[in-house]
Amino acid sequence: MKLTKIVGLHAAQSALLYSPQKISRAWIDSERHDKRLETLLDTLSTLHVSIEKVERKKLDKLADGMNHQGVVLEVALPEELSENALKAAVEHLTENALFLVLDNVQDPHNLGACLRTADATGVHGIIITKDNAVGITPTVCKVASGAAETVPVYVVTNLARTLRWLKSEGIWVIGTAGEAENTLYQHDFTVPMALVIGAEEKGMRRLTREQCDFLVKLPMRGTVESLNLSVATGVLLYEVLRQRQG
């Protein structure tokens, strides 16, 4: 079992809500006594979590510069799920499907940020590749700020085969490419879908691209050619959310 630290009240409350059994230890600011922190402390006590009240300087060091708001927890890393788990999730899904597919994304900060946005926009799961890609790491969990506990991450060995299977289940595969004819604002995202984002700099691989039913792009009015991967993902997912809410 791999352990990591999560930082801040929001991340701690998410851990208590979704995976309290994974919390093994807590460090609490000994000089802070506000209601939110006291409530958190009471809940941790009922779970028999080992609690240590420490000075802010130690919390600052444990949090590695992140805003800890008086709390740092040690938790077991979330599990990466299998292809069989993905198939079971799709087959039992009762809502309009929305999956995020990351094709060989290697930056843990990007995966963490994508998890956070996926949680905020109602994504049912993130699909990543087994090889040449980052998985769930302590850095990913820190950046995700609790979303690694709420958004399932499915690891697949053959992405093209997985995309073909998703299509056989009635899920449209929509890829992103700078040379696409249509922008995201010209496409219907209200259908059951898997949004595919290519790797940093390289974009989607050829076999991945061949499985896409449609390609869309972000309109770029300035001099830069592209946005950061996680920023672009956020723009796309919020357009999906806007259309579905409308």
Side-chain angles (χ1 to χ4, degrees):
M1 180 176 63
K2 296 181 180 180
L3 299 174
T4 189
K5 292 181 178 66
I6 60 173
V7 174
L9 285 168
H10 177 73
Q13 288 165 347
S14 293
L16 284 169
L17 181 61
Y18 294 104
S19 54
Q21 74 283 359
K22 293 184 178 181
I23 303 172
S24 58
R25 191 175 179 185
W27 294 268
I28 305 293
D29 188 343
S30 59
E31 298 179 1
R32 184 168 171 173
H33 305 288
D34 59 273
K35 186 176 180 180
R36 287 182 70 192
L37 196 59
E38 291 295 333
T39 300
L40 179 72
L41 187 58
D42 289 343
T43 305
L44 290 169
S45 297
T46 62
L47 294 171
H48 305 293
V49 172
S50 174
I51 300 170
E52 185 179 351
K53 291 189 175 182
V54 298
E55 294 181 351
R56 176 171 286 273
K57 285 184 179 180
K58 182 168 183 177
L59 278 177
D60 292 342
K61 186 176 180 180
L62 288 167
D64 196 23
M66 297 179 70
N67 181 20
H68 52 71
Q69 300 173 294
V71 59
V72 175
L73 300 184
E74 183 179 70
V75 300
L77 282 175
E79 287 185 66
E80 296 171 352
L81 303 176
S82 67
E83 294 179 58
N84 286 336
L86 172 62
K87 291 181 178 180
V90 170
E91 289 168 356
H92 291 92
L93 195 60
T94 57
E95 300 176 327
N96 195 12
L98 176 58
F99 288 90
L100 176 63
V101 181
L102 301 178
D103 186 14
N104 282 11
V105 169
Q106 299 179 346
D107 186 339
H109 293 87
N110 276 332
L111 178 55
C114 286
L115 276 161
R116 195 168 182 174
T117 305
D119 175 89
T121 54
V123 170
H124 294 114
I126 293 181
I127 300 169
I128 63 174
T129 52
K130 181 179 180 180
D131 298 321
N132 302 315
V134 67
I136 298 295
T137 68
T139 298
V140 169
C141 291
K142 286 179 183 178
V143 176
S145 298
E149 297 288 348
T150 60
V151 180
V153 175
Y154 302 99
V155 181
V156 301
T157 55
N158 187 317
L159 184 56
R161 181 179 65 201
T162 298
L163 295 177
R164 283 195 298 271
W165 179 81
L166 287 172
K167 293 198 290 185
S168 74
E169 293 293 310
I171 295 175
W172 294 86
V173 176
I174 302 171
T176 53
E179 66 276 13
E181 292 185 6
N182 292 332
T183 72
L184 72 163
Y185 303 116
Q186 297 169 303
H187 195 81
D188 179 10
F189 290 132
T190 62
V191 298
M193 58 176 280
L195 177 66
V196 185
I197 308 292
E200 301 92 347
E201 298 181 5
K202 297 180 180 179
M204 288 186 295
R205 292 172 295 168
R206 178 182 60 84
L207 292 177
T208 303
R209 184 184 178 119
E210 288 176 356
Q211 295 304 318
C212 293
D213 297 302
F214 302 101
L215 295 176
V216 297
K217 65 180 179 182
L218 272 65
M220 304 294 293
R221 301 297 187 189
T223 57
V224 297
E225 294 182 358
S226 62
L227 298 179
N228 169 271
L229 183 150
S230 61
V231 173
T233 301
V235 174
L236 286 153
L237 286 176
Y238 268 97
E239 174 60 15
V240 175
L241 181 62
R242 184 194 69 81
Q243 289 190 21
R244 293 185 173 201
Q245 285 184 331

